[in-house]
Amino acid sequence: MIERPRERPGNPRFSSGPCVKRPGFRLDGLAGAPLGRSHRSDAGREKLRAALEQSREILGIPDSHRIAILPGSDTGAFEAAMWNLLGPRPVEVLVWDEFGARWAEDAAGQLGLEPEIRRVPYGEIVDLAAVDWDCDVCFTWNGTASGVRIPESAEIPAGRGGLVLCDATSAAFAMELPWERLDAVTFSWQKVLGGEAAHGMLVLSPRAVARLESHRPPWPVPRLFRLTRDGRLIDGIFRDETINTPSMLCVEDYLQALSWAREIGGLPALIARAEDNARLIWDFCEGRDWIENLARDPATRSTTSVCLRLVDDRICDSRAFAQNLAARLESEGVAFDIGAYRHAPPGLRIWCGATVEKPDVEALLPWIEWAYESEIAALR
């Protein structure tokens, strides 16, 4: 039995969403929010424009692409993309975790599109070379529940015939995204920048805008998803308006998170922080024979939602063991919410996005080993 660690993480919040707030976050930093004001007022519009413009700046989104704030977090934004854009071409949905499976289910069950579903087990990724990019293709860039991401070597054809719809909610602000090869990209505020929930972002390429203005979906589009009127893009949604009333408090928090990101060095610094955090865990696993990364190919390992599985033959009930291990860490106040996603293989999921401090990850790892040894001892 190893000795109980002495040093504790300064912040034990390793949840994969909502994620830990940025370093130095204070509630009084939100004092500039125009509370009690209409989002259509000059003050409200100014804040919304700033959120869009600063997102474009930090993420390097081309000027040719349109950006909107939508209701319903990443889910609402991706559903809006599917309900408005899909239909004219065959559809392929690539599934390597729970959230990709949801898009496949909605494409088939709600939109009746009979999509080609390419599905692989947790820990693996679809063979992207086999994808027909002349179809409309839907996928998650980073599987939040599986810890598997699109590898940096992947190539999406520039001459593709279809549209590429990418759920990038746990990748945006932590990974390089090839904006010129993606046509509809969605993400939320609650992941890499540690913003608040309920609001989603939709980024559309010129090809996607052309589809919107030339295609009328055969199904009724819910009001919260409508991006066009009389066959034309509703321009205000992509400028300083929203489909429904946003929380100006959440907008202010997002603006403060963007400001923090810019202060530390922008996207390169955000990416580096996530990679440094994740590498600590990868190295920890490499030195132990009882725990390993769920992603089988190192090139596909997530740097944000790092998913681990236990591989000790003495463990008969892996799910119960992993749940007990996570509960032990939470009871010690050293790690909150690091159990695997409920539909994923049993194990641990540790958020390593940019708002997580590296010393906190370093302090957590000895506790994971201590908790593991304690649970093994309890089995005896």
Side-chain angles (χ1 to χ4, degrees):
M1 184 68 183
I2 66 172
E3 183 180 354
R4 181 192 188 89
R6 296 182 179 181
E7 184 178 354
R8 295 170 176 267
N11 191 334
R13 294 168 177 82
F14 297 97
S15 164
S16 291
C19 301
V20 62
K21 304 300 288 185
R22 59 197 172 275
F25 168 78
R26 291 171 56 91
L27 283 173
D28 58 14
L30 306 180
L35 303 183
R37 296 294 308 277
S38 169
H39 61 294
R40 298 185 179 91
S41 67
D42 288 345
R45 288 175 184 270
E46 182 181 355
K47 295 287 187 180
L48 294 172
R49 282 196 302 273
L52 299 179
E53 292 167 0
Q54 293 178 31
S55 297
R56 182 187 301 277
E57 173 194 346
I58 293 173
L59 289 171
I61 299 172
D63 291 340
S64 59
H65 289 46
R66 311 296 294 272
I67 313 175
I69 299 171
L70 296 184
S73 195
D74 176 69
T75 301
F78 201 82
E79 290 284 358
M82 292 178 65
W83 284 66
N84 282 277
L85 293 171
L86 298 183
R89 287 177 176 263
V91 176
E92 291 197 9
V93 186
L94 316 183
V95 179
W96 43 79
D97 86 332
E98 171 67 17
F99 297 95
R102 292 181 185 180
W103 309 140
E105 178 183 334
D106 287 353
Q110 302 301 315
L111 304 182
L113 290 173
E114 300 183 357
E116 173 78 17
I117 301 174
R118 299 181 181 270
R119 189 189 306 265
V120 293
Y122 275 78
E124 299 180 14
I125 200 165
V126 168
D127 179 7
L128 298 175
V131 174
D132 183 355
W133 297 100
D134 285 331
C135 297
D136 292 334
V137 181
C138 304
F139 61 86
T140 56
W141 190 273
N142 181 85
T144 310
S146 66
V148 174
R149 57 162 291 178
I150 296 281
E152 293 180 357
S153 61
E155 285 288 341
I156 298 172
R160 64 196 179 280
L163 297 182
V164 176
L165 281 65
C166 173
D167 170 358
T169 196
S170 57
F173 296 106
M175 303 172 193
E176 290 281 1
L177 296 173
W179 296 103
E180 300 290 356
R181 306 296 176 93
L182 305 173
D183 298 297
V185 181
T186 65
F187 58 92
S188 69
W189 298 348
Q190 67 182 19
K191 294 293 187 181
V192 177
L193 292 188
E196 291 303 298
H199 299 78
M201 302 290 279
L202 173 63
V203 182
L204 297 179
S205 74
R207 300 176 75 244
V209 172
R211 169 75 66 84
L212 282 172
E213 295 186 334
S214 64
H215 164 62
R216 182 171 181 175
W219 43 77
V221 177
R223 180 175 296 277
L224 287 180
F225 295 165
R226 292 179 199 166
L227 304 175
T228 61
R229 182 183 297 117
D230 299 326
R232 302 294 296 174
L233 191 73
I234 303 175
D235 188 67
I237 296 174
F238 298 86
R239 189 178 60 246
D240 57 8
E241 299 175 8
T242 52
I243 294 175
N244 72 330
T245 305
S247 163
M248 298 311 298
L249 189 63
C250 291
V251 171
E252 186 68 22
D253 182 62
Y254 182 55
L255 287 171
Q256 295 300 316
L258 290 167
S259 177
W260 168 78
R262 190 166 50 250
E263 289 170 1
I264 67 169
L267 186 60
L270 295 170
I271 291 173
R273 285 174 66 93
E275 289 180 346
D276 287 348
N277 289 337
R279 192 169 292 107
L280 286 173
I281 300 176
W282 301 343
D283 291 346
F284 174 82
C285 293
E286 287 295 326
R288 288 152 183 83
D289 60 5
W290 50 269
I291 192 169
E292 65 183 20
N293 203 297
L294 184 59
R296 291 173 173 80
D297 180 356
T300 67
R301 289 174 180 172
S302 171
T303 56
T304 54
S305 54
V306 179
C307 297
L308 309 173
R309 67 189 191 110
L310 304 170
V311 289
D312 190 325
D313 290 339
R314 293 173 292 179
I315 302 172
C316 297
D317 187 341
S318 296
R319 189 164 300 277
F321 187 94
Q323 289 173 343
N324 291 340
L325 191 157
R328 185 182 291 268
L329 292 169
E330 182 154 348
S331 69
E332 292 287 343
V334 296
F336 299 152
D337 312 316
I338 67 167
Y341 187 76
R342 61 185 182 276
H343 297 309
L348 303 177
R349 180 175 59 161
I350 304 169
W351 183 256
C352 289
T355 56
V356 175
E357 297 277 43
K358 185 177 178 180
D360 289 337
V361 180
E362 290 174 325
L364 168 64
L365 296 176
W367 282 97
I368 290 178
E369 187 154 32
W370 170 82
Y372 161 77
E373 294 288 354
S374 299
E375 289 301 320
I376 287 293
L379 291 179
R380 302 194 192 101

